[in-house]
Amino acid sequence: MQIQLNGEARDLAPGLTVAQLVDSLGLSGRRIAVERNEEIVPKSEHDTTPLTDGDRIEIVHAIGGG
Amino acid sequence: MTDIYQDQPLRIAGHAFSSRLLVGTGKYKDFDETAEAIAASGAEVVTFAVRRTNLGQEAGQPNLLDVVPPERFTLLPNTAGCYTAKDAVRTCKLARELLDGHKLVKLEVLGDDSTLYPNVVETLAAAEELIKDGFDVMVYTSDDLIVAKELERLGCCAIMPLGSLIGSGHGIQNPHNIRLIIEQAGVPVLVDAGIGTASDAAMAMELGCDGVLMNSAIAHARQPILMASAMKKAVEAGREAFLAGRMPRRQSADPSSPFAGRING
């Protein structure tokens, strides 16, 4: 299946969860937030939220700004 | 020496702050400089931006939230870079998730790239939606009294008019408008954007602002940490001058030494 991850197309194995995606990116335990199709995926639901083909995923963090 | 006057804390949405200087975290050369400048500024409220993570190069990289830990600072995620109410609301929801339910945000919805002037139509729409969703909204806006009053009516917890364009360092271009907002607002008013140097910050406070928010004036100074210290003092000096009440302006001179007893009298 293919998703849009932070605006870029990415091929993933079917059935992957948000938690598995986050882990595969080396972001487990980091201060991040995840949005799936413009809805927040709370941290408590990363384990139980499967990704599906065509999902638009945003993973964000805090950076310097004014 | 005991303080001659014990100021009230700055109260915003249930928080109480002794510092009236709020600072940004952008444009520093590295996180060490960011941390040192924030420490020198004495700021308790620190704003930051929300952006996509750099995929594939993140592991082990330092994170801004390690430099400004939520346990020590009141963090103020902002919606810088948003041009629509929808994007600003999405950004605030991401920030709330990022900070485990944190409700205080700085809303800014911009109008165009070259001026970064606030789009007040989108700002009003975003403020209304965010407040309905339970956010505490400190709002960046133009120095327009009518818009400021409407933002307050919607429930914004602080009104933050620009002094001049973001990052311009042009200071407070229309102090009369800022004063009008201060006189009529029932919530804290903070100048946000445009501060260039210490006298601009002092001027904002002398006008009666409740606080000042700045980033570039510190980060783009030749010596940011020294400027952060200067801004701390300027905000304190301006606040004390406001509370003390300035002397009346006179058209003619008025000698400070008595006329009586002069040797040529």
Side-chain angles (χ1 to χ4, degrees):
Chain A
M1 65 175 180
Q2 191 177 70
I3 66 165
Q4 292 287 318
L5 177 60
N6 285 4
E8 291 175 13
R10 194 168 280 229
D11 293 312
L12 299 175
L16 213 62
T17 64
V18 168
Q20 288 167 328
L21 174 65
V22 167
D23 190 43
S24 74
L25 296 167
L27 295 171
S28 289
R30 308 286 297 178
R31 293 183 196 261
I32 56 158
V34 179
E35 191 191 60
R36 175 177 178 241
N37 302 328
E38 304 191 5
E39 296 289 336
I40 298 296
V41 184
K43 289 180 192 70
S44 59
E45 295 175 16
H46 285 192
D47 271 334
T48 55
T49 304
L51 297 168
T52 56
D53 192 47
D55 273 355
R56 285 166 292 124
I57 303 294
E58 297 288 344
I59 304 180
V60 303
H61 65 160
I63 65 148
Chain B
M1 194 183 89
T2 54
D3 283 344
I4 50 173
Y5 182 86
Q6 189 67 44
D7 196 3
Q8 298 295 310
L10 168 61
R11 293 184 190 281
I12 298 173
H15 303 267
F17 307 109
S18 55
S19 169
R20 291 171 179 272
L21 172 57
L22 292 71
V23 297
T25 51
K27 300 180 174 174
Y28 288 101
K29 74 171 191 235
D30 54 34
F31 281 155
D32 285 344
E33 189 180 71
T34 310
E36 281 189 66
I38 293 170
S41 77
E44 297 163 86
V45 182
V46 177
T47 188
F48 69 86
V50 175
R51 290 291 182 274
R52 287 170 166 167
T53 53
N54 297 318
L55 300 172
Q57 28 183 305
E58 200 56 28
Q61 290 292 307
N63 185 298
L64 178 68
L65 297 184
D66 299 330
V67 176
V68 282
E71 304 78 35
R72 274 183 43 214
F73 295 95
T74 297
L75 296 183
L76 184 62
N78 66 54
T79 64
C82 291
Y83 289 79
T84 63
K86 182 187 168 193
D87 284 352
V89 169
R90 278 176 70 192
T91 300
C92 288
K93 288 180 177 175
L94 282 162
R96 181 168 62 184
E97 166 67 12
L98 185 63
L99 297 177
D100 304 315
H102 177 91
K103 295 194 302 180
L104 189 66
V105 293
K106 172 184 153 179
L107 172 64
E108 58 178 288
V109 188
L110 305 173
D112 74 62
D113 284 340
S114 62
T115 65
L116 302 178
Y117 209 77
N119 179 330
V120 296
V121 176
E122 293 292 315
T123 300
L124 286 160
E128 186 164 23
E129 188 170 342
L130 288 167
I131 289 161
K132 273 192 194 143
D133 196 14
F135 284 95
D136 295 322
V137 179
M138 300 176 69
V139 60
Y140 171 65
T141 184
S142 58
D143 59 0
D144 181 316
L145 170 66
I146 307 305
V147 173
K149 285 169 75 171
E150 183 62 15
L151 288 163
E152 181 182 345
R153 191 189 65 77
L154 290 173
C156 291
C157 63
I159 307 296
M160 304 201 291
L162 49 74
S164 51
L165 301 184
I166 292 173
S168 72
H170 281 189
I172 298 177
Q173 285 297 304
N174 197 335
H176 305 289
N177 275 13
I178 301 289
R179 193 192 295 277
L180 281 176
I181 294 171
I182 292 165
E183 283 171 357
Q184 297 206 28
V187 293
V189 176
L190 296 86
V191 163
D192 176 5
I195 299 296
T197 188
S199 53
D200 297 331
M203 182 195 202
M205 298 308 294
E206 287 173 16
L207 285 169
C209 281
D210 296 282
V212 181
L213 196 160
M214 67 180 74
N215 190 150
S216 305
I218 297 174
H220 275 181
R222 197 153 36 82
Q223 295 191 51
I225 295 151
L226 185 57
M227 186 59 89
S229 167
M231 290 301 185
K232 176 178 193 282
K233 292 168 184 163
V235 168
E236 289 172 357
R239 175 67 180 172
E240 289 189 5
F242 169 72
L243 293 169
R246 62 156 297 136
M247 63 163 281
R249 287 184 170 85
R250 294 172 185 276
Q251 289 302 316
S252 55
D254 179 28
S256 296
S257 307
F259 258 63
R262 290 173 302 151
I263 57 169
N264 55 349

